[in-house]
Amino acid sequence: MGLLLLLKPHWESSGLGVRRLESASWHCPGPGPTAPKHRGMMGDNVTKVSTFILVGFPTAPGLQYLLFLLFLLTYLFVLVENLAIILAVWSSASLHRPMYYFLSSMSFLELWYVSDITPKMLEGFLLRQKRISFVGCMTQLYFFSSLVCTECVLLASMAYDRYVAICHPLRYHVLVTPGLCLQLVGFSFVSGFTVSMIKVYFISSATFCGSNVLNHFFCDISPILKLACTDFSTAELVDFILAFIILVFPLLATVLSYGHIALAVLRIPSATGRWRAFSTCASHLTVVTIFYMAMIFMYVRPQAIDSRSSNKLISAVYTVITPIINPLIYCLRNKEFKDTLKKALGQTSQ
């Protein structure tokens, strides 16, 4: 995760921004006894890293087991919660509407979020297995980055849905059709996974040498790039362009949608009408705020106030706790959905 800091490629930060490496940092320690040798940029032999060590949350052994239990229960709850939402939407004809299609797509996204990161975290807590192969690390990074990029576009698509529902209510069923929803969801996933494929290709093509210790609990871009021995100026430019496309454009679309929504709500004469109109998009606006606030706290902090421990804590909240909160935000205030969910779960238990 880490798209925002790529918009500032010339200074190091706590997130996904790329750190410019001075020529002195290209000289890496000599090779270990079993690691293959490769030529560095300065002509020296360097040791190519084949595995990484995830520091995770270093605590006393007893606390590790407690954290294992806590994150395991959280992981299982996220799975059950989001699977129940997907089941309710697709099993009830009354919920076969654009808003609920988007909601089930978001739940599907949340399932992949936690399944990409949490199992490896649990393995570290229980078995103290903190090593991850280079291929495994790049795979985890690819899926996590892809999901973040996908969520950016999907949130913008949901903002457009709310814009049409409030600003053009009489034309809503004409403008926002199930076919359009399918296209928007498909575009969100295709664009997110395609952009991340290019990003991870450039990262995996780098030479990693010397230390293989990642001060994080999963393979995020910033900790990985700190171990690179090669010049990353080309990757900086590529990441900057891709970050601008996949982050700024959806954010701009979201802001414009809510700008039109705000103007439409203010034109409603009665306070009751304004509140009813705003309540239809309050849940989505809350999720958007949480998403971008998490991005800012994790990736847009000057190095002077950077703290790896706090960064890992915020990352844990976003990657594990947010998938719990988002479905609750969307569903708890929706009586129609709650009634349908109860019926669906009742039918499943019979």
Side-chain angles (χ1 to χ4, degrees), residues 175-297:
L175 296 175
V176 184
T177 62
L180 177 63
C181 292
L182 182 61
Q183 292 175 10
L184 290 174
V185 171
F187 176 74
S188 300
F189 278 89
V190 170
S191 59
F193 277 74
T194 301
V195 165
S196 294
M197 183 182 300
I198 301 172
K199 291 165 61 66
V200 174
Y201 169 77
F202 277 91
I203 295 172
S204 62
S205 299
T207 300
F208 297 91
C209 57
S211 174
N212 65 338
V213 178
L214 293 176
N215 189 14
H216 217 310
F217 61 89
F218 70 99
C219 293
D220 204 358
I221 294 183
S222 179
I224 294 176
L225 292 182
K226 290 182 182 297
L227 305 181
C229 303
T230 52
D231 179 22
F232 249 84
S233 57
T234 302
E236 279 185 330
L237 178 60
V238 172
D239 281 345
F240 175 78
I241 295 173
L242 294 178
F244 189 88
I245 293 173
I246 201 66
L247 179 64
V248 175
F249 286 171
L251 177 59
L252 181 62
T254 302
V255 172
L256 289 176
S257 296
Y258 275 102
H260 286 287
I261 289 173
L263 293 176
V265 170
L266 291 176
R267 286 196 294 264
I268 298 176
S270 67
T272 303
R274 287 194 296 269
W275 172 249
R276 289 184 60 185
F278 176 76
S279 64
T280 62
C281 61
S283 297
H284 177 257
L285 184 59
T286 302
V287 172
V288 169
T289 302
I290 292 174
F291 176 79
Y292 283 104
M293 287 296 291
M295 296 295 101
I296 292 173
F297 275 107

Side-chain angles (χ1 to χ4, degrees), residues 15 55 57 97 170 179 231 291 339 344:
V55 173
F57 298 94
R97 288 181 292 175
L170 299 180
D231 179 22
F291 176 79
D339 293 340

Side-chain angles (χ1 to χ4, degrees), residues 100-156:
Y100 296 109
Y101 287 144
F102 286 125
L103 178 58
S104 62
S105 300
M106 183 64 73
S107 292
F108 180 76
L109 200 68
E110 306 289 12
L111 290 176
W112 280 99
Y113 260 130
V114 293
S115 298
D116 180 48
I117 292 176
T118 308
K120 185 61 182 178
M121 189 194 313
L122 295 176
E123 182 184 18
F125 287 142
L126 185 63
L127 304 178
R128 311 295 172 81
Q129 179 56 261
K130 298 183 180 296
R131 290 184 176 272
I132 184 171
S133 67
F134 180 85
V135 174
C137 188
M138 291 299 114
T139 301
Q140 186 185 63
L141 172 63
Y142 170 67
F143 278 103
F144 185 74
S145 177
S146 299
L147 294 169
V148 173
C149 295
T150 300
E151 185 168 0
C152 289
V153 184
L154 187 59
L155 287 174

